[in-house]
Amino acid sequence: AIVEADLLAAKPALDEAEAALSAITAKDIGMLKSLKKPPELIKRLFDCVLILFQEPLIPCEVEEVKRLQLCVSWDRASVVMSRASFLDELFNFNKDAINDETIEMLYPYDSAEDFTYGDAKKASGNVAGLCTWVKSMILYTWISKEVKPKIAK
Amino acid sequence: MTSCKEAIKDIEIDGKVAAEMEEVRLCPISNMKPLIVKMDNALSTLKKCRQLRMSSNAIAKIEGLAGCDSLVILSLARNNLKKIEGLNEISDSLEQLWLSYNQIGSFAGIEKLTNLQVLYASNNKIDKWPEVERLQGLPKLRELNLVNNPLYQKHDAEGNWRIEVIKRLEKLKNLDGSLIDDEERERAKAD
């Protein structure tokens, strides 16, 4: 019964992630690609998508953009979001294949004060749903890490 | 750059003592401080540490781990590592090595980690089968991730990546995040 309760705890987060993804349209992505200067927060958000997709990133370097932060791999993000299948890839993402190392690499992004749906929404509208998605992937992995071993027993 | 000593001091908040902690994360950029570029001897004070997380830095070399006698998980993802080295002192205890997003082209030296169970090395520079074959020397290895290494890209495109790995690493349970099933094992044997 404890195991079921834990799994149920993940359900609202996953529902929320799905709803957030549904709000993103191909048009939103197209708009984002056309921006000469995309908001910094959105670039960081896309680094998180690259990490979850296990796509290449530039090596860690820091830059000062209002705050000291990791340089973002925006060129690579542009390639990934240009794929016709990009939104489908998000929807069909295999969340059970996420490992602890991936979550660890998301930490410098997720721990930033402005890494919230509200801030992302202000910066870029619907695409902010990606923030909800990233956060729910982190929560899901954490819960399933706690829950899966119990199921195995 | 942030030294290990400074990074360790920064986690000693609310009266916590790093030398007593089982989980240590040295990620200065999350506090908007510069990256760590060198693993120095300050790490040797982490006697109780079971999980040392130093990912998302700019470390070029694994070193300074003598004295970390309790280390089970070492996380060095997203650094500038080229080689497997500096792990002799912790080879008895180490069970998980997280090295994705580095520049590792060879697993030479990994054979010494006889208790290694999990190796994450996506997005590195592994491009030859003999490097995967080195992992045969790890009797307990059960989980491996090699996504987006040149060797992966080549064979994933050809459609034979998983079978070719399973053929070489018969005891593996999980490859690139997915469990290896009986059918794959049979195909690898028949191949």
Side-chain angles (χ1 to χ4, degrees):
Chain A
I2 294 167
V3 171
E4 278 167 21
D6 287 346
L7 277 175
L8 279 175
K11 185 80 169 55
L14 294 176
D15 288 347
E16 206 188 329
E18 197 153 302
L21 287 183
S22 303
I24 307 172
T25 64
K27 206 173 140 196
D28 294 326
I29 300 292
M31 185 271 294
L32 195 60
K33 270 190 311 194
S34 69
L35 293 180
K36 288 269 184 307
K37 279 194 166 179
E40 278 305 315
L41 175 56
I42 300 307
K43 291 199 243 177
R44 279 186 268 141
L45 201 45
F46 270 87
D47 265 22
C48 294
V49 174
L50 293 178
I51 288 171
L52 282 158
F53 281 10
Q54 303 190 68
E55 293 278 348
L57 299 162
I58 59 167
C60 284
E61 266 184 73
V62 295
E63 63 182 344
E64 187 91 37
V65 200
K66 288 183 210 158
R67 59 200 286 289
L68 197 63
Q69 64 176 39
L70 291 176
C71 294
V72 291
S73 306
W74 184 249
D75 288 349
R76 187 67 209 175
S78 304
V79 171
V80 170
M81 75 175 88
S82 297
R83 297 202 289 243
S85 59
F86 176 61
L87 286 173
D88 286 337
E89 288 176 61
L90 284 170
F91 260 104
N92 301 324
F93 186 72
N94 180 7
K95 55 191 178 301
D96 290 305
I98 304 172
N99 64 39
D100 295 343
E101 182 196 43
T102 299
I103 300 300
E104 180 67 17
M105 285 190 286
L106 293 174
Y107 179 76
Y109 302 91
D110 181 45
S111 61
E113 246 176 29
D114 62 351
F115 199 78
T116 66
Y117 177 77
D119 283 282
K121 179 92 183 170
K122 265 182 245 157
S124 79
N126 290 342
V127 178
L130 284 179
C131 186
T132 308
W133 183 74
V134 170
K135 282 182 179 290
S136 74
M137 291 301 114
I138 296 171
L139 182 67
Y140 176 81
T141 307
W142 182 78
I143 290 174
S144 60
K145 192 175 74 180
E146 303 292 309
V147 177
K148 270 183 203 156
K150 292 181 197 164
I151 294 173
K153 279 178 198 167
Chain B
M1 67 192 80
T2 303
S3 71
C4 290
K5 194 178 171 184
E6 289 164 325
I8 289 170
K9 208 175 159 201
D10 283 343
I11 59 166
E12 294 190 311
I13 40 174
D14 305 328
K16 282 186 220 151
V17 179
E20 298 294 325
M21 292 164 72
E22 293 195 359
E23 282 190 47
V24 172
R25 179 190 276 126
L26 304 180
C27 184
I29 191 60
S30 63
N31 294 322
M32 286 179 274
K33 290 189 178 174
L35 304 174
I36 296 172
V37 298
K38 187 173 159 59
M39 298 173 74
D40 62 45
N41 289 334
L43 298 174
S44 65
T45 59
L46 305 173
K47 304 276 181 212
K48 298 271 173 67
C49 181
R50 292 172 56 81
Q51 304 189 15
L52 178 57
R53 300 166 186 268
M54 298 185 74
S55 47
S56 309
N57 281 296
I59 298 162
K61 191 178 174 193
I62 309 175
E63 58 189 333
L65 293 171
C68 302
D69 301 325
S70 312
L71 209 56
V72 177
I73 300 177
L74 177 59
S75 169
L76 287 166
R78 273 201 100 184
N79 278 287
N80 295 326
L81 302 173
K82 294 189 177 60
K83 278 195 242 172
I84 308 284
E85 60 189 330
L87 295 169
N88 283 356
E89 287 98 343
I90 55 163
S91 62
D92 288 342
S93 61
L94 197 68
E95 293 177 8
Q96 301 198 20
L97 187 54
W98 303 357
L99 294 173
S100 295
Y101 293 94
N102 278 285
Q103 282 105 49
I104 293 168
S106 170
F107 287 132
I110 207 160
E111 300 89 340
K112 289 168 189 146
L113 303 175
T114 49
N115 278 315
L116 200 68
Q117 297 176 14
V118 173
L119 176 62
Y120 296 142
S122 82
N123 289 282
N124 275 283
K125 302 212 178 313
I126 299 295
D127 61 356
K128 294 187 211 69
W129 285 116
E131 297 304 332
V132 176
E133 284 155 14
R134 284 181 198 274
L135 307 177
Q136 291 165 348
L138 301 171
K140 294 184 183 168
L141 188 71
R142 59 179 163 80
E143 192 170 339
L144 176 67
N145 185 349
L146 289 175
V147 168
N148 265 338
N149 278 273
L151 189 67
Y152 167 96
Q153 288 164 336
K154 177 172 183 278
H155 288 275
D156 189 51
E158 289 173 9
N160 61 357
W161 166 249
R162 289 181 67 87
I163 295 300
E164 288 298 321
V165 175
I166 297 164
K167 224 193 270 182
R168 288 167 172 86
L169 301 171
E170 290 171 353
K171 288 183 209 151
L172 213 57
K173 301 267 190 298
N174 187 309
L175 176 62
D176 305 332
S178 306
L179 287 173
I180 294 166
D181 60 32
D182 292 341
E183 196 198 321
E184 287 179 311
R185 249 182 257 284
E186 289 303 318
R187 272 171 58 205
K189 257 184 212 158
D191 209 33

